[in-house]
Amino acid sequence: MAKSAARTSPPKARTAYVCSECGADHGKWQGQCGECGAWNTLSEFVIEPAAAAKAGPASRRSGWAGKADAPKVTALKDVRHSEDARVSTGIGELDRVLGGGLVEGAVVLVGGDPGIGKSTLLLQAVARMAPTLPALYVTGEESLAQVAGRAARLDLPLDGLQALAETGIEIILEHAAVSRPKLIVADSVQTLWTESLTAAPGSVSQVRESAARLVRYAKETGTAVFLVGHVTKEGGIAGPRVLEHMVDAVLYFEGESGSRFRVLRAFKNRFGAVNELGVFAMGDKGLKEVPNPSAIFLSGGSTPQPGSCVMVTREGTRPLLVEVQALVDASPLSNPRRVAVGLEQNRLAMLLAVLHRHGGIVVGDQDVFVNVVGGIRVQETAADLPVLLAVLSSLQDRPLPDKTVAFGEIGLSGEIRPVPNGEERLREAATHGFKRAIVPKANAPKSGAFKGLEVIAVERLSQALESVQP
Ligand code: TYD
Ligand code: MG
């Protein structure tokens, strides 16, 4: 008797402490997250028992065998599904990053620093899609007049586009239930809040719960959702990285504040490849696509400078010429600085150790700064060789030979390893008028050559360093 009474009493709300970095749940507050080790990232979160959880599985648990509402296990091969139907966003570079267009019911988080152009991009995209895909643009940061003013300035067609200035998720979903859009943009997710939590709007728990509601709505109705988030890749103060687990795709908008070029990169995509890049230029008419971005990340100086090396990277499905810069300077510190911008910090430290051990070049008493021009990030190991050539060039204060490109991975024993798509990279360099390429031996063309491009194939780091000495 007592037992069954306990079973029917309503479940209580529980307080959890959730890490804003990794999303781990803790029973009590602590200064450091026990899962990911981050400091001061836990915040209070009241977890309300969901209505479904009260009535659903708990009641079934008392002997559902043979009943109609028994949970079903299905052979996966019998599950009916359709090919992901994709809708073009009307912006080729955005389609490319999404993996060929927007999928019905997909939830896409677009992150990036404030002012990078997230609102502009999404307004342009929904305006182009709205005639075929009725859209609801929810703005929590700007007034409707501001959004309309921007749309007018950008000459955007506004047919089929509804707008709502609102931050309460319950009200937003009520409106959506009435107007039944096929696409919702929530700008930004940081402004959303739900009545069911007492935490302050903007807190991690509010953002997480509001986003979860939208995700649920998207899956139930097949509505595609774009969430805008002021989320930098590092997580940042406003960055509830917890959202990344809940959504289907995470796109980051990158770029230097001084440069008009912007790069959109897929960081996670359930419907396509990651690391595909979309390139845009910000102008007075909003964002324009750069469908052929291959040479925009070169600094463009006519005379070669010490500390600079051009590499051919291959991000996604396109080769890209990118300039890597290094500055090596005598350090006043007992622990000299190693700073990498656009590259991985630990990889730089490793490369400098290989340079010392297998190239005989000492930088232990020097500060080393390495930067990728244009504010983009190079994640592939093909950057290893160009980084060390740039470091050597800065250390010796001597430019690399004019019109030189390089790429190649460097191993811990000083060997130069091949990278994928070598020939395609060389062809790109030749097309842009480069005269010599320092590349891994296995990437050198087996037969024939590229017009006007001398290929210097190297197997060891020492060979590569010698090849740039006069
Ligand atoms: P915005 O889309 O508001 O950034 P976010 O939503 O990521 O915070 O973009 C703001 C910046 O873009 C702003 O600094 C001005 C610039 N911009 C242009 O240069 N041209 C334009 O046509 C527009 C609309 C914005
Ligand atoms: Mg904005």
Side-chain angles (χ1 to χ4, degrees):
M1 197 59 208
K3 242 185 177 173
S4 74
R7 201 180 287 150
T8 51
S9 69
K12 287 199 189 77
R14 132 181 122 81
T15 304
Y17 295 85
V18 179
C19 172
S20 62
E21 284 293 311
C22 68
D25 260 328
H26 300 270
K28 61 178 175 37
W29 192 87
Q30 53 203 44
Q32 187 182 21
C33 173
E35 285 295 319
C36 69
W39 287 94
N40 280 329
T41 53
L42 298 200
S43 51
E44 187 174 346
F45 185 43
V46 182
I47 298 175
E48 304 279 348
K54 283 180 216 161
S59 62
R60 290 188 193 134
R61 222 170 275 140
S62 48
W64 41 256
K67 288 189 187 157
D69 65 344
K72 277 204 211 96
V73 174
T74 312
L76 200 50
K77 67 180 169 60
D78 298 336
V79 176
R80 283 160 52 88
H81 64 97
S82 55
E83 268 297 300
D84 297 332
R86 292 182 186 272
V87 182
S88 167
T89 60
I91 300 179
E93 293 290 293
L94 180 57
D95 285 349
R96 164 190 286 278
V97 179
L98 286 169
L102 188 61
V103 176
E104 194 176 275
V107 182
V108 180
L109 173 68
V110 180
D113 293 326
I116 195 99
K118 302 179 293 297
S119 306
T120 307
L121 176 71
L122 288 177
L123 189 61
Q124 287 180 252
V126 286
R128 289 193 201 173
M129 281 189 278
T132 49
L133 209 64
L136 176 63
Y137 189 96
V138 181
T139 169
E141 293 186 351
E142 295 165 283
S143 68
L144 289 183
Q146 275 176 305
V147 175
R150 179 183 299 182
R153 217 158 5 93
L154 301 179
D155 292 332
L156 295 176
L158 295 178
D159 298 329
L161 182 56
Q162 310 262 21
L164 177 65
E166 179 56 61
T167 54
I169 191 72
E170 282 81 8
I171 300 176
I172 293 170
L173 291 182
E174 262 171 42
H175 281 286
V178 174
S179 63
R180 299 197 164 272
K182 297 300 284 173
L183 171 66
I184 298 179
V185 176
D187 186 1
S188 70
V189 69
Q190 266 95 11
T191 60
L192 298 181
W193 65 284
T194 163
E195 289 161 7
S196 65
L197 296 182
T198 48
S203 64
V204 174
S205 49
Q206 284 284 10
V207 172
R208 182 165 104 154
E209 182 59 24
S210 309
R213 295 276 181 93
L214 269 174
V215 171
R216 215 175 306 142
Y217 178 82
K219 300 301 165 196
E220 281 166 9
T221 59
T223 312
V225 174
F226 277 112
L227 297 173
V228 176
H230 301 295
V231 188
T232 59
K233 201 137 200 190
E234 288 72 35
I237 27 164
R241 294 199 70 167
V242 286
L243 294 182
E244 287 175 359
H245 306 292
M246 304 177 358
V247 300
D248 296 310
V250 180
L251 314 182
Y252 279 105
F253 225 171
E254 304 167 353
E256 257 172 13
S257 48
S259 155
R260 66 194 185 94
F261 291 112
R262 303 278 185 272
V263 175
L264 189 66
R265 184 195 296 272
F267 178 74
K268 157 182 172 176
N269 193 351
R270 286 184 185 149
F271 307 112
V274 287
N275 283 347
E276 191 67 80
L277 291 189
V279 184
F280 299 88
M282 180 66 94
D284 52 0
K285 284 279 177 216
L287 287 159
K288 279 222 161 49
E289 297 174 55
V290 184
N292 192 2
S294 123
I296 60 172
F297 296 107
L298 302 183
S299 65
S302 51
T303 50
Q305 299 293 327
S308 152
C309 180
V310 176
M311 73 168 292
V312 196
T313 167
R314 193 172 182 284
E315 296 283 347
T317 50
R318 289 182 295 198
L320 211 57
L321 291 160
V322 173
E323 182 178 337
V324 179
Q325 295 181 329
L327 179 68
V328 179
D329 191 23
S331 178
L333 307 169
S334 59
N335 216 345
R337 306 223 285 157
R338 272 90 183 81
V339 179
V341 180
L343 292 159
E344 209 196 319
Q345 190 93 12
N346 289 338
R347 188 116 197 137
L348 174 62
M350 185 198 97
L351 289 173
L352 293 177
V354 177
L355 183 65
H356 178 211
R357 223 12 243 290
H358 298 284
I361 299 198
V362 183
V363 287
D365 51 353
Q366 309 275 329
D367 286 331
V368 179
F369 304 90
V370 179
N371 174 41
V372 180
V373 171
I376 75 159
R377 231 166 245 275
V378 177
Q379 286 165 336
E380 57 164 9
T381 52
D384 291 356
L385 183 55
V387 164
L388 286 191
L389 291 177
V391 166
L392 178 72
S393 163
S394 174
L395 182 71
Q396 299 181 334
D397 199 21
R398 189 167 54 208
L400 294 179
D402 197 12
K403 298 279 175 200
T404 300
V405 293
F407 58 83
E409 176 176 333
I410 297 180
L412 285 181
S413 55
E415 80 277 20
I416 309 279
R417 295 206 202 139
V419 295
N421 306 93
E423 295 223 358
E424 193 190 336
R425 295 179 203 241
L426 288 170
R427 191 173 310 118
E428 192 68 21
T431 312
H432 284 89
F434 283 87
K435 297 260 179 313
R436 40 154 84 200
I438 306 169
V439 305
K441 185 146 192 219
N443 281 132
K446 303 281 176 301
S447 58
F450 296 98
K451 202 167 161 282
L453 185 72
E454 179 198 356
V455 176
I456 302 167
V458 291
E459 277 180 299
R460 310 272 321 153
L461 176 62
S462 50
Q463 278 176 292
L465 299 180
E466 265 164 39
S467 74
V468 295
Q469 300 301 325

